[in-house]
Amino acid sequence: LDPDQMIVRPFTNDFSKSVEVWKPVKTDLAKHTLVDHGSPFAQQYGFALQWKTKVNMSHVANGTYSRVDSMDMQEARDHYSVGPPYIATARDMYRIALTWTDFVPRVHDNYP
């Protein structure tokens, strides 16, 4: 089943007892297990690193500095290769949606 098309279990904001696979598996960072402001969750996404290799992120960010500019491929792979479904607080999802609607038209300029 494609998880962005079917709900296969109840939604939760606490993954402390989850048997899900966590990415990255090996990391020095503590794993977050609770969805909270500033700590949204998402699944690993099939777009992988194409957002870093096929999209001009300076154009997408409208010429402003982005952490993407200095991020190496390993960090991108380990922490930012994510996509829907997303679980976030309403405040975070609102900020994500605003940025997404700003970025998407310029992503399509590079990657239609």
Side-chain angles (χ1 to χ4, degrees), residues 19-72:
V19 296
E20 301 294 325
V21 175
W22 293 85
K23 177 84 173 150
V25 176
K26 295 179 181 178
T27 182
D28 294 339
L29 300 173
K31 290 182 179 166
H32 293 277
T33 58
L34 184 64
V35 177
D36 200 1
H37 294 304
S39 184
F41 281 53
Q43 77 170 2
Q44 189 173 4
Y45 192 48
F47 194 57
L49 294 178
Q50 294 180 60
W51 60 270
K52 188 139 171 63
T53 61
K54 294 186 176 183
V55 176
N56 179 345
M57 291 306 289
S58 294
H59 174 68
V60 170
N62 208 17
T64 60
Y65 172 78
S66 168
R67 253 190 38 67
V68 173
D69 296 331
S70 61
M71 183 183 303
D72 66 34

Side-chain angles (χ1 to χ4, degrees), residues 11-18 22 30-42 87-89 92:
F11 289 108
T12 182
N13 71 331
D14 184 353
F15 294 93
S16 60
K17 294 185 172 97
S18 177
W22 293 85
K31 290 182 179 166
H32 293 277
T33 58
L34 184 64
V35 177
D36 200 1
H37 294 304
S39 184
F41 281 53
I87 302 174
T89 64
D92 285 346

